[in-house]
Amino acid sequence: MEKAALFDFNLTLPAIAIEFLLLMVALDKLYFTPLGKFMDERDAKIRAELGDVKDASEEVRQLEEQAAAVLKAARAEIAAALNKMKKETTQELEAKLEEGRSRVEAELVEALANLEAQKEEAVKALDAQIASLSDEIVKKVLPSA
């Protein structure tokens, strides 16, 4: 009997090596090449979609800027309309207030004129009463002469 050697170089080693190489070539042709081709196609497709998304994101950004500009213009237009309406309302109120003031002043002048006329009438009436009272007092105080 032979002793077992660490490495026994008989026909088994070259047969296993040939099987390994054949298996490697077969796997490369049947499995890894189609898989690599599929992965390359998928990578190219993903990159193309990413490029489309970047283009779309640029369009979205531009649309957002346009929307912001439209909103800003609308807000400015609304503010201008509100200011105009406020000025018109203020002018109308001032005109009505001025009309009311002038009416009140006219009524006040008329009332003062009426009071002045009543005062003069009252003074005339008092003058007449004073004259008659003084005549009566004189008649009573001084006996008839």
Side-chain angles (χ1 to χ4, degrees), residues 5 12 18 38 41 51 67 72 74-75 82 87-88 93-94 97 102-103 105 117 125 128 133-134 136-137 143 145:
T12 310
I18 290 173
F38 170 75
E41 289 173 358
K72 186 176 180 182
R75 285 183 180 141
L82 285 175
K87 286 180 184 177
E88 290 174 356
L93 288 175
E94 287 177 357
L97 184 63
S102 62
R103 193 173 349 129
E105 286 179 10
L133 282 176
S134 58
E136 281 184 35
I137 291 173

Side-chain angles (χ1 to χ4, degrees), residues 1 4 6-7 18-19 22-23 25 28 31 35-36 51 53 57 68-69 79 89 91 96-97 102 106 117 135 139 141:
M1 265 214 180
L6 187 57
F7 289 107
I18 290 173
E19 283 179 13
L22 286 174
L23 181 63
V25 169
D28 185 49
Y31 184 72
L35 183 63
V53 167
S57 67
T89 305
Q91 289 174 350
K96 288 181 181 180
L97 184 63
S102 62
D135 286 342
K139 285 181 186 176
V141 172

Side-chain angles (χ1 to χ4, degrees), residues 103-115:
R103 193 173 349 129
V104 167
E105 286 179 10
E107 290 174 2
L108 181 64
V109 167
E110 184 180 332
L112 286 175
N114 286 340
L115 284 176

